[in-house]
Amino acid sequence: MPDGDSSEALRRRPGRPSLSNEELLDKALDLFVEKGFAGTSIDAICAAAGMAKRTVYARYGDKEALFKAALDRAIADWIVPPAALRAQESEDFEATLLRIGTLLVENVLGPAGLRLLRLTNAESVTMPEIALENVRLGTEPTLHYLADLFRRHLGGPNGDFPEAEDAAQAFLSLVVGGPASNAAWGMRLDPSHVERHVRYSVHLFLHGALDRAPREGPGELRRLLREAEEGLQLARQRVEQAGRLVRE
């Protein structure tokens, strides 16, 4: 018979270590992405995590609470902190925007971004609050940073730029929105295509479509001809006026 000390040691022998909250949420995320909210059961999550149901219910009251916690975990994995965006800044504003745009697009097309896109697109119809949560935790900090960036570079001496928030939304939609939408539909984007998209979109944002158009294209030629014709008509009118004055 074992003595008291050895019996106590046997009682204290550790079993399988319990997963951390982060590991549990990662397991739950994998299942929610694969099978959707409705198709994922607490039993399946517990089996994947090797965890007792009572432990999961003790941490999260029900499946919906677990799902929202997993969503917050997915957003935290995906978001680019404003400090990381600020680290891309330089004296060259367009180069700054190119680096920021590239970072944001690469992030949304990375594993964490694609996972979040799939999850929110699949569930936001029946649970619209998860799209709002995505905006609140993920998109709004980026918009606030961009608006501040535009005030500093495009505002007056006092940083007065009333359209800063609109400009931030336009930049994010133009530069990041297209690749994100394509990825959400399952399209695989070639890195060279993504690079061209970011470069063109940043230039378009800063300079506009007309500034990028060929200066001697057909539209420009028509404009020059129209101006020349108007100038010729004006010259004829002045010659006629001068002739009348001479005859008088």
Side-chain angles (χ1 to χ4, degrees), residues 10 22 29 55 82 103 197 203 207 222 232:
L10 287 174
E22 289 76 12
L29 268 174
T55 304
L103 180 60
H197 165 81
H203 188 98
H207 304 291
R222 284 195 295 271
L232 184 58

Side-chain angles (χ1 to χ4, degrees), residues 184-199:
W185 285 100
M187 294 178 60
R188 297 182 65 86
L189 304 179
D190 184 82
S192 62
H193 173 80
V194 172
E195 181 183 358
R196 288 196 305 272
H197 165 81
V198 172
R199 190 170 298 279

